[in-house]
């Protein structure tokens, strides 16, 4: 069991299960990016060092991709209106994402697990193993839920708070 991180709602800059959170400038929301439909889950599983998790409530993803460094597995689901739900997942608690937001994040309970909810648009960027930003990954993200699931951390983007919590509850490893 991992020790609890410092909740970012109580700190100006904090690490929350592999996500660094700090205060930042306001941003406009952008559409949630789709994962490329180039892999199936078995192929993606072979490219990462952790056992991926799946939300049972969403069905089969229409896109699965793994970051070039093999640290992040992303899945997306699209609806008929073109809205996208994105699930990024990674192993451990080493920082993988940097989030900058003017709004304080909310700590929410998802069953027996504590999660972090970002209610509005915020800046997000991937970090390399040394903690440097992959500038080409920088973008605005919409409402997002971050939560540990066993040895994996997930971030769910593209749902409202209640839907994100329900989706997180449906995750199995």
């Amino acid at each position: 069991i991992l020790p609890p991180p410092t909740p970012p709602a109580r700190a100006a800059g904090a690490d929350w299960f592999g996500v660094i959170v700090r205060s930042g400038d306001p941003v406009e929301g952008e559409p949630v990016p789709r994962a490329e439909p180039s892999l199936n889950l078995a192929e993606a599983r072979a490219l990462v060092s952790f056992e991926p998790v799946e939300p049972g409530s969403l069905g089969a993803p229409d896109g699965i991709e793994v970051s070039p460094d093999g640290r992040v597995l992303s899945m997306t689901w699209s609806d008929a209106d073109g809205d996208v739900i994105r699930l990024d997942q990674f192993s451990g608690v080493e920082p993988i994402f940097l989030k900058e937001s003017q709004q304080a994040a909310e700590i929410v309970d998802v069953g027996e697990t504590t999660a972090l909810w970002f209610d509005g648009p915020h800046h997000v960027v991937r970090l390399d193993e040394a903690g440097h930003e992959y500038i080409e990954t920088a973008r605005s993200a919409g409402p997002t839920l971050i939560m540990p699931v066993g040895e994996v951390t997930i971030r769910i983007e593209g749902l409202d708070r209640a839907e994100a919590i329900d989706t997180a509850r449906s995750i199995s490893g």
Side-chain angles (χ1 to χ4, degrees):
I1 296 184
L2 302 171
T6 304
R10 297 187 194 131
D15 182 1
W16 180 266
F17 290 109
V19 178
I20 296 173
V21 181
R22 68 181 182 205
S23 181
D25 295 328
V27 297
E28 296 292 323
E30 294 179 7
V32 178
R34 288 182 169 81
E36 294 295 321
S38 57
L39 298 173
N40 64 42
L41 190 54
E43 293 166 332
R45 183 178 282 119
L47 297 174
V48 296
S49 64
F50 56 91
E51 184 58 33
V53 298
E54 298 178 75
S57 65
L58 297 177
D62 53 31
I64 300 175
E65 63 188 19
V66 174
S67 63
D69 61 6
R71 296 174 69 206
V72 179
L73 187 153
S74 301
M75 300 174 175
T76 57
W77 295 260
S78 303
D79 66 17
D81 296 329
D83 294 326
V84 176
I85 300 165
R86 184 178 183 96
L87 172 76
D88 294 319
Q89 53 188 297
F90 53 93
S91 178
V93 295
E94 291 299 315
I96 298 281
F97 289 97
L98 168 66
K99 289 183 172 286
E100 294 180 330
S101 177
Q102 283 197 314
Q103 299 175 327
E106 178 185 356
I107 297 172
V108 296
D109 291 325
V110 180
E112 296 181 16
T113 302
T114 300
L116 191 62
W117 174 249
F118 289 86
D119 192 39
H122 55 279
H123 178 82
V124 65
V125 65
R126 277 271 331 277
L127 301 173
D128 67 16
E129 290 179 2
H132 300 108
E133 297 178 22
Y134 285 116
I135 300 302
E136 64 276 8
T137 68
R139 66 179 178 88
S140 293
T144 304
L145 183 81
I146 300 168
M147 181 179 94
V149 178
E151 299 296 319
V152 176
T153 298
I154 63 165
R155 67 177 296 284
I156 300 171
E157 182 182 358
L159 296 171
D160 67 30
R161 183 180 182 270
E163 293 169 326
I165 290 171
D166 286 345
T167 299
R169 284 187 179 126
S170 77
I171 288 183
S172 61

